[in-house]
Amino acid sequence: MKTFKLVIVGGGSTYTPGIVTNLLTKKNEFKLHELCLYDNNKERQETVGVIVKQLVKRLDPELKLVFTTDPEEAFTDADFIFAQMRVGLYKMREQDEKISLKYNVVGQETCGPGGLAYGLRTIYPMAQVIDYCEKYASKKYWIVNYSNPAAIVAKAMHMIRPNARILNICDMPVAIMQLMAKILGCELKDIDVDYFGLNHFGWFTHVRVNGVDRTEELKAYVKEHGYLPPVPKDQLKKIEPSWANTFTNSKYIINMFDDYLPNTYFQYYLLSDYIVAHEDKNYTRANEVMDGREKHIFDTVAEYKKTGKMDLQQFMDIHGEFIVDVAMSLAYDQNRRFLVMVKNEGAIENLPDDAMVEVPAYLTCKGPEPVRVGKIPTFYKGLIEQQNACEQMLCEAAIEHSYKKALMAFTLNKTVPSAMTAKKILDDMIVANREYWPELK
Ligand code: NAD
Ligand code: G6P
Ligand code: MN
């Protein structure tokens, strides 16, 4: 069996323990001869590395494990590169959210002006990762990218690095499918869906369980409860309150537009005023994550250093499982079907060829083979075209260093009420992102 060198870019990510747990659990199906963590923040990676070392010791003690901040060491002969960078860390996510909210506009990691700001920070670091791969990695390298905003990263890389072997993915559709499985009383593996849209901007058109279409039954449930599953109260409590709200909010959308089942991210575009009204402008999701997921990782490490004890069972999650399954289908030509981002090129017939769409695709060692979705109705096409135009302008702004195009992108975003508000937010963001953005003239 072929074995691989796998690099995690953003080794210091809060998601690294989950990804490594899933990788090592599948060590007999996805054979690695080296696991390398690469980050530009040595200290953060060393902290998360304490957990990774324990996972390797417990699950695959023979595996060669390397931590590095040196690109040549990381990328040399790499076969798989899992990217999960957060350029600017949570501090800048907090800025993205709070600057938008200051103007009563949705403050969110990947949607609205926050997502656009994050895009301008991430495009060039991602291009650099591709350049390292081209220079040092195995000729048939695959980058499987989670780094957000994945829609913008996907589009920009298609524009500036069109030959890169990169597949952009998102865990939201599969996380929603996991909730659907709970609602329909089956396992995730029994569910098969049809879906179309952009990343964080798409709809499920059919949901089948072992081949039986259960879409209408599911819609009826979601109209009442959103995607909150019918599980006992103590299990529901395990869902973080802000995610529970997000899952619930889908019910407002499907009660208005019941053709399809929406991605949860539509709350930001279709319920913008409601979302802003319910937001604490001084304590946003970035604060929750810093006080929650990030603190938990740091506390786990501190506790281990004190007591020598760590619960290694806790890191198994759908996020890690999804990226590993996607990579295995590419590595071993498994031809499995996943929802991923691909060049449209006719998959959605009445959208531009160069849009990066999220649709079902079969993954082989040659890459993704998307399914044909056909034509989509005007309302959905209109929403997608506006969002696609917004993301396109943002990428062009980054490439051409154009202030005007950045302003066009901010103005085109559905969460932003006017060009004047767009300009105020953009101008504040330029100041906040001085260290990170390409200069806009
Ligand atoms: P995090 O801040 O904990 O981890 C990100 C890591 O990336 C940090 O250790 C940081 O130092 C590192 N980094 C930043 N710039 C880098 C660079 N230029 N080179 C190398 N490393 C760099 O963040 P997190 O919450 O764990 O999220 C990680 C990433 O995964 C984010 O981009 C997040 O948006 C993304 N994410 C995507 C999906 C999806 O559906 N696509 C799902 C979950 C998370
Ligand atoms: C989902 C999305 C990701 C996003 C994450 C944010 O998983 O698919 O793209 O990064 O949610 O979660 P957080 O807990 O950081 O707000
Ligand atoms: Mn996502």
Side-chain angles (χ1 to χ4, degrees), residues 13-14 39 44 85-86 90 109 118 146 148 171 293:
S13 157
T14 56
D39 205 294
R44 192 180 176 89
M85 295 181 288
R86 184 182 292 286
Y90 293 124
E109 179 197 24
Y118 191 11
Y146 261 143
N148 267 323
D171 64 8
R293 188 170 67 238

Side-chain angles (χ1 to χ4, degrees), residues 176-373:
I176 297 172
M177 285 162 66
Q178 204 176 34
L179 295 170
M180 289 174 171
K182 288 211 174 91
I183 294 168
L184 296 172
C186 65
E187 305 271 317
L188 176 61
K189 66 170 176 40
D190 301 328
I191 289 210
D192 164 48
V193 300
D194 295 330
Y195 185 95
F196 73 84
L198 308 174
N199 177 234
H200 290 185
F201 208 95
W203 294 267
F204 296 88
T205 59
H206 289 98
V207 178
R208 291 171 293 271
V209 178
N210 293 320
V212 178
D213 192 322
R214 303 208 26 205
T215 317
E216 292 308 317
E217 179 189 344
L218 186 58
K219 280 184 191 171
Y221 180 94
V222 178
K223 278 184 183 174
E224 240 181 85
H225 309 282
Y227 291 112
L228 269 192
V231 293
K233 275 216 169 87
D234 58 316
Q235 278 191 47
L236 268 187
K237 276 196 197 137
K238 288 187 190 146
I239 305 178
E240 275 185 272
S242 39
W243 276 106
N245 285 336
T246 296
F247 298 147
T248 306
N249 287 344
S250 293
K251 78 176 179 190
Y252 302 118
I253 297 170
I254 195 164
N255 273 295
M256 289 186 274
F257 313 112
D258 67 356
D259 301 310
Y260 311 126
L261 288 141
N263 190 300
T264 46
Y265 275 92
F266 278 112
Q267 66 173 345
Y268 299 113
Y269 299 101
L270 301 179
L271 311 175
S272 328
D273 48 359
Y274 176 86
I275 291 292
V276 172
H278 288 83
E279 198 70 60
D280 180 346
K281 294 180 182 168
N282 299 310
Y283 192 82
T284 58
R285 181 69 194 152
N287 300 109
E288 287 181 5
V289 175
M290 286 186 271
D291 293 342
R293 188 170 67 238
E294 185 185 48
K295 181 173 181 301
H296 178 68
I297 292 279
F298 293 166
D299 287 352
T300 302
V301 171
E303 181 70 12
Y304 173 76
K305 284 183 175 164
K306 231 176 24 192
T307 63
K309 288 193 189 124
M310 189 188 296
D311 166 21
L312 293 175
Q313 307 291 324
Q314 60 174 308
F315 301 114
M316 197 71 184
D317 59 3
I318 188 71
H319 176 88
E321 194 178 335
F322 183 62
I323 193 168
V324 172
D325 287 351
V326 160
M328 278 172 57
S329 198
L330 294 169
Y332 297 110
D333 208 21
Q334 288 171 341
N335 207 22
R336 288 183 61 192
R337 179 177 162 123
F338 296 93
L339 299 180
V340 295
M341 284 161 245
V342 293
K343 281 173 253 172
N344 184 34
E345 289 176 340
I348 303 174
E349 214 178 306
N350 49 351
L351 285 181
D353 278 353
D354 66 352
M356 291 300 289
V357 294
E358 198 166 67
V359 292
Y362 292 87
L363 302 185
T364 74
C365 60
K366 293 194 217 82
E369 291 181 19
V371 305
R372 281 188 77 82
V373 171

Side-chain angles (χ1 to χ4, degrees), residues 41-105:
N41 184 328
K42 188 165 190 275
E43 198 193 334
R44 192 180 176 89
Q45 175 159 272
E46 272 170 6
T47 304
V48 173
V50 171
I51 301 177
V52 173
K53 271 190 199 151
Q54 290 310 306
L55 286 167
V56 170
K57 198 169 146 195
R58 174 83 60 88
L59 298 171
D60 193 4
E62 305 292 299
L63 180 66
K64 179 176 176 192
L65 176 64
V66 175
F67 302 156
T68 184
T69 54
D70 171 23
E72 182 171 355
E73 184 181 12
F75 294 97
T76 296
D77 298 331
D79 301 294
F80 279 88
I81 298 91
F82 287 1
Q84 47 169 351
M85 295 181 288
R86 184 182 292 286
V87 180
L89 299 167
Y90 293 124
K91 277 273 155 256
M92 288 310 296
R93 175 175 177 178
E94 185 182 10
Q95 289 297 307
D96 295 343
E97 293 168 351
K98 290 187 176 170
I99 292 171
S100 308
L101 280 168
K102 184 174 145 197
Y103 297 98
N104 286 317
V105 169

